[in-house]
Amino acid sequence: MERFIKLIKNRSDIGAGTRGSDMGIDAIEIAAINQNSDYFNQFEFEDVKTHNESVYNKNRNTFAKRIEHVLEQCTRVSYAVKHNLQANYFPIVLSGDHSSALGTISGIKAVYPSKTLGVVWIDAHADLHSPYTSPSGNIHGMPLAAALAEDNLDCKINDITPETVQNWEEMKNIGCPGAKIRPENLIYFGVRDTEEAEDSQIEKLGIRNYRVDEVRYRGLQTCVSEALAKLANCDMIYISFDVDSMDCDMISYGTGTPVPKGFDQDEVIDIINQIIKSRKVVCFEVVEVNPLLDTKGNKMAETAFEVLEQITSTIILPIE
């Protein structure tokens, strides 16, 4: 049975600390045009309304910046993912900053509340902060804390306002009430830039992180097969690909929080394709391409498009 893809374009960067990832989707489309690819003419698409003008508002909340608008944006993304899944599409979500992943995960669970969701998070960062623990207040570092409904109060450093508490609670309940995923069903690939509060959560919750050096030492296929075995009880899988999982020195600095010693694009493609071949994947997301920070022209977007094009070919393979 052929799978029909819908591209969901979420040009929002209000959860990030640096402007520019809202232009990432357009940069990827330009990369496709420059490669004479008709990729973006092959599939139906949907544009999600954004709230990017909120970055000009006077910020009243240093521990969860623009949280009321990120809540609204994640709710929009959740609805877009939900109604496309209900229409039997395979959503490929192209987003600006990574806070969008909470909306995507919430949309999946809104459609399948009784099914178990596994999450493969390919990223340099753990994104496990809450407003109580975040040193920056940037919500693109918080989507998994909200999806897990974990505040990590043991590592609290911030006293947050009642209004922020209310918005944060609403974020944890987008789509359907309560936690969307369980810690044992979350697997990291490439996480290597974390703070103490996140390290504490990773250890306490027992979250598996396949670091770049481990994947290369033990073998990519071995590590991905092990990860899939760990997710064997999951009915479905969502893959979230942050381009900063790739080595910024090797690829590009065209992302908001670049980190060296990451994967190359071939490794990322192989990881994602092996997971897609499990036939459990129901949604894929690409985030954090920032062409304003790219010192190599449009290199990060070109690389992201290479990943996108190759994994899409695997998604549309007929299910046997």
Side-chain angles (χ1 to χ4, degrees), residues 212-226:
V212 177
D213 54 356
E214 179 185 358
V215 171
R216 290 175 179 165
Y217 178 74
R218 295 183 59 212
L220 186 148
Q221 189 167 350
T222 298
C223 291
V224 178
S225 295
E226 191 174 280

Side-chain angles (χ1 to χ4, degrees), residues 48-65:
V48 179
K49 183 182 176 185
T50 64
H51 224 315
N52 289 339
E53 69 279 2
S54 67
V55 300
Y56 299 111
N57 297 349
K58 197 171 225 185
N59 185 41
R60 304 184 307 276
N61 188 336
T62 55
F63 304 132
K65 296 173 183 174

Side-chain angles (χ1 to χ4, degrees), residues 174-186:
I174 294 172
C176 59
K180 310 298 184 291
I181 55 174
R182 296 197 289 264
E184 62 269 26
N185 296 328
L186 167 62

Side-chain angles (χ1 to χ4, degrees), residues 11 17 31 34 50 107 133 138 145 149 160 174 221 267 272 283-284 311:
R11 294 179 174 86
N34 289 341
T50 64
T133 69
N138 296 324
I160 65 177
I174 294 172
Q221 189 167 350
E267 290 170 320
I272 296 170
C283 183
F284 171 73
I311 69 99

Side-chain angles (χ1 to χ4, degrees), residues 36 55 59 116 125 133 150 198 214 231 241 264 284 305:
N36 295 315
V55 300
N59 185 41
T116 303
H125 304 92
T133 69
E150 287 281 349
E198 293 177 305
E214 179 185 358
L231 299 179
F241 167 49
D264 64 39
F284 171 73
F305 177 63

Side-chain angles (χ1 to χ4, degrees), residues 294-320:
D294 203 322
T295 58
K296 298 181 180 179
N298 199 31
K299 180 66 174 174
M300 183 61 86
E302 291 166 358
T303 306
F305 177 63
E306 181 183 344
V307 174
L308 179 62
E309 192 172 40
Q310 293 208 36
I311 69 99
T312 301
S313 296
T314 307
I315 291 169
I316 62 178
L317 286 172
I319 298 175
E320 296 176 356

Side-chain angles (χ1 to χ4, degrees), residues 160-196:
I160 65 177
T161 66
E163 182 184 12
T164 299
V165 172
Q166 180 180 342
N167 284 319
W168 178 243
E169 291 303 313
E170 288 183 30
M171 285 188 73
K172 290 190 284 187
N173 289 289
I174 294 172
C176 59
K180 310 298 184 291
I181 55 174
R182 296 197 289 264
E184 62 269 26
N185 296 328
L186 167 62
I187 293 180
Y188 288 134
F189 276 89
V191 170
R192 58 195 183 280
D193 184 16
T194 55
E195 278 92 29
E196 189 176 336

Side-chain angles (χ1 to χ4, degrees), residues 38-282:
D38 67 344
Y39 181 92
F40 286 94
N41 292 323
Q42 292 178 39
F43 308 109
E44 295 181 56
F45 71 91
E46 176 176 340
D47 281 308
V48 179
K49 183 182 176 185
T50 64
H51 224 315
N52 289 339
E53 69 279 2
S54 67
V55 300
Y56 299 111
N57 297 349
K58 197 171 225 185
N59 185 41
R60 304 184 307 276
N61 188 336
T62 55
F63 304 132
K65 296 173 183 174
R66 297 176 287 276
I67 187 170
E68 68 276 19
H69 300 306
V70 176
L71 167 62
E72 188 175 2
Q73 194 62 32
C74 286
T75 302
R76 289 169 176 160
V77 172
S78 173
Y79 178 77
V81 170
K82 175 186 174 182
H83 81 71
N84 279 292
L85 283 171
Q86 288 173 329
N88 293 317
Y89 284 104
F90 184 105
I92 293 180
V93 184
L94 307 176
S95 284
D97 77 80
H98 213 167
S99 64
S100 62
L102 172 63
T104 305
I105 289 169
S106 300
I108 296 168
K109 283 296 288 183
V111 180
Y112 307 111
S114 62
K115 290 189 175 182
T116 303
L117 176 62
V119 172
V120 177
W121 198 263
I122 306 171
D123 198 331
H125 304 92
D127 294 344
L128 271 178
H129 277 297
S130 74
Y132 301 98
T133 69
S134 174
S136 71
N138 296 324
I139 301 178
H140 70 165
M142 306 184 195
L144 284 176
L148 290 160
E150 287 281 349
D151 296 336
N152 195 12
L153 295 179
D154 291 342
C155 297
K156 177 181 175 181
I157 60 170
N158 303 322
D159 291 318
I160 65 177
T161 66
E163 182 184 12
T164 299
V165 172
Q166 180 180 342
N167 284 319
W168 178 243
E169 291 303 313
E170 288 183 30
M171 285 188 73
K172 290 190 284 187
N173 289 289
I174 294 172
C176 59
K180 310 298 184 291
I181 55 174
R182 296 197 289 264
E184 62 269 26
N185 296 328
L186 167 62
I187 293 180
Y188 288 134
F189 276 89
V191 170
R192 58 195 183 280
D193 184 16
T194 55
E195 278 92 29
E196 189 176 336
E198 293 177 305
D199 292 334
S200 173
Q201 282 291 76
I202 290 169
E203 183 177 359
K204 183 176 83 173
L205 299 175
I207 300 169
R208 184 67 163 96
N209 177 24
Y210 289 94
R211 301 178 67 92
V212 177
D213 54 356
E214 179 185 358
V215 171
R216 290 175 179 165
Y217 178 74
R218 295 183 59 212
L220 186 148
Q221 189 167 350
T222 298
C223 291
V224 178
S225 295
E226 191 174 280
L228 286 171
K230 186 170 169 56
L231 299 179
N233 67 313
C234 295
D235 302 301
M236 53 193 179
I237 295 172
Y238 155 69
I239 303 173
S240 200
F241 167 49
D242 187 324
V243 297
D244 70 24
S245 61
M246 298 186 292
D247 192 315
C248 59
D249 292 324
M250 186 188 312
I251 309 294
S252 165
Y253 276 72
T255 187
T257 46
V259 185
K261 298 182 179 177
F263 293 118
D264 64 39
Q265 67 265 40
D266 292 330
E267 290 170 320
V268 168
I269 290 166
D270 286 348
I271 290 167
I272 296 170
N273 275 343
Q274 192 172 332
I275 297 165
I276 289 171
K277 287 174 183 175
S278 73
R279 313 317 283 178
K280 285 187 173 183
V281 179
V282 296

